[in-house]
Amino acid sequence: MAAWDLSVTVEELGPEAPPFKVSVTSDLHIGGVILKIVEKTQIKKDWSDHALWWEQKKQWLLRPSWTLEKYQIHADARLSLTRQHMPLRIGLPNQTVLRVQACFSRPVFQTVMGVCHLLNIRHPEELSLLRPVEEKKKKKDKEAEEEVVYDLTALQVSSGSVQTLTSGMPVHFADSAQTEAVYKLLSVSLPAPAAEAITRMPRPSGLVDKARVHSRWLDSSQSLLQQGVQAHDKLLLRFKYYCCHDLDPKTDAVRLTQLYEQARWAILLEDVDCTEEEMMLFAALQYHIGKVSLSEPQPMTSCPTMDDLESALQCLEETMTIAPELQDYLKIFRPKRLSLKSYKQFWFTFNNTSISYFKSKEESLQGPIQQMNLKGCEVAPDVSVAAQKFCIRLLIPGAEGMNEVYLRCDNGLQYSRWMAACRLASRGKTLSDSSFSSEVQNIQSFLAMQQCTPGDDTAQTDKSINTHSLVSPRYHRKYKAEQLAPRILEAYQKVSQLPLTDAVLKFLQIWQALPGFGVSYFVVRFKGCRKDEVLGVTNNRLIRVDLRTGDVMKTWRYNTMRLWNVNWEIQQMSIEFNDNVNIAFSCVTATCKIVHEYIGGYIFMATRTREPTEELNQELFFKLTGGHGDAL
């Protein structure tokens, strides 16, 4: 077989060094090529982390037994002997920037697993990397602020499970005082961010801005180098899939802290809408968490009382066999154009996942006026404790779109029970589900925190509160700081006795209950339509949203999905549901691959079990998110 020259550059020799010419034949395997190059360099070092990178094809040659012919490499190919692990700057949700050794040759999914293993973050499948927003060039007369980067490139961690000390700190962080300090930065909630930091951060002005954020996610099935990421570049590590699987304060100090920080920034930057009362409660919890963290800078741990409560609930679940009954007088209102908000009272009963209402209790033995199946509906609170307003907003799927219905309760206890039932029914669960009682308790606890009580004199005179760092800018345009401080301190009275872990969990719990929580938006063009619309992707459903008004028009549940695929030539995604329901759309603000990965990723999350020894099924993840043929 004829020999020919192959041009290979060596990264270790610098960018200006000329490439080597090595004589090869088509049946020479990749390992042999690397051996020839190493011998020519005459550099004695460990080359085990190096591999060949094919620049023209954007492809790593990672199979040493494959021949040049099998890879279809000819004389015009330009190869480079490059390190597989290189320094990468990682920005975390709490604004800390780390420099770590990241793998540039494996899929991003596996790179994220490596970074999370180093930081002791369990369930790395819920996170991913995205590109930061390009910063505008600053004026010459203003000196750019130097970014503080904590170097962790020297940390060595074994491939097995992470060993931790009694304090919960991983052993590899205990090597020096510097790395111990970095771990505390990652596992302890920091004080509220400066007001200037909030104003500098970009805030979405509408659905289109929220959709553009998701165009920056990296492809999980391709490597960093394939996507143009170079050594020392900066990427953001964020929670991408809002599932929070098996969250345990005992072992998830870093994970819980970073999740809280991501939630806090989502509230402060108005990425998720909330009511005024909810914003005051969020501010109070931030204020309390900041104070406790400063006075007792210890990583979060699980409370013994919480463990006892979990075991008690588990016993209750095993012994509970009778489903609770739910029936009462409620008021109902259906919005119509040019009509006043007029509620009418009826007798309501809850059965399985359906609500039925009758003219009176006495007539409940006859047929109902209407029965509404809430499976797949949207449930949102419309509550003002101060005004004694306890309403539930329902968007129920219908043949012609979403039907809007409001239910009004007389008091907080009635609201808690019916709201919990509606939330469970929307997920296809009945009142007999073990989570009903805890859902009711969570709602009651949230309402209790919103009740205004006469403030403590010491709290009212607390001058350390900085309202600009605790609420979103929208409320500072609406109120003065002197008006916001007393309201935040009033809410603080309700949470001031919470331990640090409970306060963080309460913040996350309220965040997860917001109507817009966990919705990733994409601007799309549905097949057969002439205008752009918005597709919302959540952990259990797809939502069709009107781009102009923001109204939900249609909802499709994953459990009714039969298959989906992408036509890569025309960049169109098609999805088939039960009952011969088919939709197809092209993406405007992101590639179809990103939307495909979101849907497949959420379906993958639903396959996980609660077994702590369960190994992550990477093959299934890549099958569902890779975009090769039909996913189901």
Side-chain angles (χ1 to χ4, degrees):
M1 186 171 291
W4 43 276
D5 288 341
L6 182 64
S7 177
V8 182
T9 58
V10 180
E11 180 196 50
E12 297 292 327
L13 301 178
E16 303 299 327
F20 284 102
K21 296 286 186 179
V22 291
S23 179
V24 298
T25 57
S26 297
D27 62 345
L28 181 64
H29 51 73
I30 296 299
V33 175
I34 295 177
L35 184 60
K36 281 177 174 285
I37 300 167
V38 169
E39 289 175 348
K40 272 209 166 189
T41 62
Q42 298 182 346
I43 299 176
K44 294 183 178 180
K45 60 168 293 181
D46 183 4
W47 294 89
S48 61
D49 190 48
H50 286 66
L52 289 175
W53 166 252
W54 191 357
E55 178 62 34
Q56 295 115 309
K57 293 286 187 73
K58 299 293 181 184
Q59 181 182 359
W60 284 94
L61 311 179
L62 300 176
R63 299 179 183 271
S65 61
W66 278 28
T67 63
L68 296 175
E69 184 179 18
K70 192 165 186 178
Y71 269 119
Q72 297 183 350
I73 295 174
H74 305 292
D76 59 345
R78 297 191 304 273
L79 304 183
S80 175
L81 188 62
T82 306
R83 287 176 297 161
Q84 298 182 61
H85 291 81
M86 292 181 280
L88 181 71
R89 288 181 297 147
I90 299 288
L92 298 178
N94 69 342
Q95 310 303 303
T96 302
V97 181
L98 308 175
R99 182 180 288 111
V100 300
Q101 283 290 110
C103 183
F104 278 68
S105 61
R106 297 294 178 183
V108 165
F109 182 75
Q110 295 176 348
T111 301
V112 171
M113 289 180 64
V115 173
C116 289
H117 187 63
L118 176 74
L119 304 181
N120 197 23
I121 298 177
R122 296 190 310 130
H123 299 293
E125 67 273 13
E126 296 175 356
L127 298 94
S128 192
L129 296 170
L130 74 160
R131 303 178 193 273
V133 178
E134 293 183 4
E135 297 182 358
K136 296 180 180 178
K137 294 182 180 179
K138 298 184 179 181
K139 295 181 180 179
K140 293 181 180 179
D141 57 342
K142 292 184 179 180
E143 294 183 0
E145 296 181 7
E146 188 175 349
E147 184 179 65
V148 178
V149 181
Y150 300 94
D151 194 349
L152 299 181
T153 53
L155 283 188
Q156 299 291 331
V157 57
S158 61
S159 58
S161 59
V162 177
Q163 296 181 347
T164 57
L165 303 176
T166 53
S167 62
M169 179 186 297
V171 172
H172 55 271
F173 271 99
D175 290 342
S176 67
Q178 289 80 7
T179 53
E180 285 187 17
V182 173
Y183 181 75
K184 288 182 179 178
L185 276 176
L186 305 181
S187 58
V188 178
S189 298
L190 304 177
E196 297 77 16
I198 299 176
T199 55
R200 284 199 305 265
M201 296 287 284
R203 294 190 303 277
S205 59
L207 286 175
V208 175
D209 279 356
K210 291 181 180 180
R212 288 199 180 103
V213 171
H214 302 290
S215 65
R216 297 187 278 111
W217 288 107
L218 294 186
D219 189 334
S220 293
S221 59
Q222 290 190 330
S223 68
L224 292 175
L225 206 56
Q226 282 179 299
Q227 301 180 69
V229 180
Q230 302 296 324
H232 302 287
D233 281 357
K234 181 180 178 181
L235 295 174
L236 305 181
L237 181 67
R238 294 291 185 268
F239 289 87
K240 180 178 180 180
Y241 302 102
Y242 295 96
C243 298
C244 306
H245 179 69
D246 188 26
L247 195 61
D248 183 4
K250 294 178 183 177
T251 54
D252 287 334
V254 176
R255 182 182 174 211
L256 190 57
T257 299
Q258 298 303 323
L259 185 61
Y260 161 72
E261 292 289 343
Q262 185 162 328
R264 173 161 70 169
W265 281 104
I267 298 298
L268 292 177
L269 298 179
E270 301 172 3
D271 187 50
V272 181
D273 295 329
C274 63
T275 65
E276 205 166 288
E277 288 179 323
E278 289 166 341
M279 178 59 77
M280 297 306 118
L281 185 52
F282 280 129
L285 284 167
Q286 288 181 74
Y287 178 62
H288 175 59
I289 292 168
K291 288 185 68 173
V292 176
S293 299
L294 286 174
S295 59
E296 302 175 12
Q298 297 295 325
M300 287 173 280
T301 55
S302 178
C303 288
T305 54
M306 290 293 290
D307 295 337
D308 295 341
L309 177 61
E310 288 178 4
S311 60
L313 287 174
Q314 188 174 359
C315 293
L316 181 64
E317 180 182 348
E318 293 172 356
T319 57
M320 196 86 166
T321 55
I322 302 175
E325 292 185 358
L326 201 57
Q327 49 188 9
D328 210 340
Y329 278 105
L330 302 176
K331 293 177 181 177
I332 188 172
F333 165 67
R334 293 177 176 278
K336 295 181 181 179
R337 273 190 165 186
L338 305 176
S339 67
L340 297 175
K341 208 167 192 177
S342 176
Y343 284 90
K344 292 185 179 181
Q345 183 170 281
F346 294 95
W347 176 258
F348 282 78
T349 63
F350 214 111
N351 185 28
N352 292 327
T353 60
S354 297
I355 285 182
S356 302
Y357 63 94
F358 309 81
K359 192 172 183 181
S360 64
K361 182 178 180 180
E362 292 73 22
E363 297 185 12
S364 60
L365 297 177
Q366 303 174 11
I369 297 174
Q370 187 183 11
Q371 185 179 52
M372 298 176 288
N373 190 345
L374 303 189
K375 189 174 182 180
C377 77
E378 303 291 321
V379 183
D382 185 12
V383 175
S384 174
V385 177
Q388 288 296 293
K389 174 187 175 186
F390 302 97
C391 294
I392 303 170
R393 179 174 180 255
L394 302 173
L395 288 173
I396 305 172
E400 299 180 359
M402 305 296 282
N403 299 316
E404 188 175 19
V405 177
Y406 283 84
L407 301 180
R408 183 156 194 163
C409 302
D410 294 331
N411 51 60
L413 177 59
Q414 187 185 54
Y415 166 82
S416 300
R417 291 171 58 82
W418 284 86
M419 184 64 171
C422 290
R423 283 180 177 172
L424 290 178
S426 70
R427 300 194 289 266
K429 298 181 180 180
T430 65
L431 297 177
S432 61
D433 191 85
S434 59
S435 61
F436 176 72
S437 298
S438 59
E439 189 82 34
V440 172
Q441 290 176 3
N442 291 337
I443 297 171
Q444 287 178 331
S445 173
F446 173 62
L447 294 178
M449 288 182 180
Q450 293 192 55
Q451 292 177 359
C452 294
T453 56
D456 191 347
D457 291 339
T458 57
Q460 295 294 341
T461 57
D462 191 339
K463 302 296 184 183
S464 65
I465 187 169
N466 183 355
T467 59
H468 289 274
S469 300
L470 298 173
V471 300
S472 64
R474 176 175 53 172
Y475 290 95
H476 273 284
R477 293 193 296 267
K478 189 175 181 180
Y479 300 105
K480 296 180 180 179
E482 296 79 12
Q483 296 173 301
L484 289 171
R487 296 184 61 186
I488 295 173
L489 290 170
E490 282 178 354
Y492 171 66
Q493 304 307 304
K494 296 292 182 182
V495 301
S496 59
Q497 301 303 316
L498 288 176
L500 175 60
T501 303
D502 290 358
V504 171
L505 291 174
K506 182 59 65 177
F507 190 100
L508 295 175
Q509 184 185 84
I510 301 170
W511 175 53
Q512 291 170 349
L514 296 177
F517 162 77
V519 184
S520 303
Y521 295 102
F522 302 91
V523 177
V524 300
R525 177 73 64 89
F526 280 92
K527 187 177 180 179
C529 297
R530 294 185 177 181
K531 61 179 182 178
D532 291 342
E533 296 178 72
V534 174
L535 181 73
V537 183
T538 74
N539 66 335
N540 56 11
R541 67 197 186 280
L542 300 176
I543 308 170
R544 187 173 183 173
V545 183
D546 186 281
L547 179 59
R548 185 176 56 86
T549 63
D551 294 337
V552 175
M553 300 169 62
K554 196 73 177 176
T555 297
W556 302 280
R557 289 267 165 179
Y558 293 152
N559 56 12
T560 65
M561 186 185 297
R562 297 183 59 190
L563 60 87
W564 82 96
N565 59 64
V566 179
N567 185 329
W568 299 109
E569 293 183 2
I570 61 174
Q571 287 291 303
Q572 185 180 80
M573 176 175 286
S574 58
I575 307 176
E576 182 181 334
F577 298 91
N578 293 338
D579 302 324
N580 295 320
V581 176
N582 296 282
I583 62 172
F585 56 85
S586 56
C587 301
V588 178
T589 54
T591 64
C592 279
K593 178 62 172 66
I594 293 178
V595 182
H596 182 284
E597 187 173 308
Y598 252 107
I599 296 172
Y602 272 127
I603 292 176
F604 171 78
M605 304 298 158
T607 65
R608 298 177 299 180
T609 67
R610 292 223 173 244
E611 295 297 328
T613 57
E614 177 195 18
E615 291 188 6
L616 193 62
N617 190 341
Q618 297 184 40
E619 184 181 350
L620 179 60
F621 179 87
F622 286 122
K623 181 180 178 182
L624 291 171
T625 62
H628 302 293
D630 292 348
L632 286 179

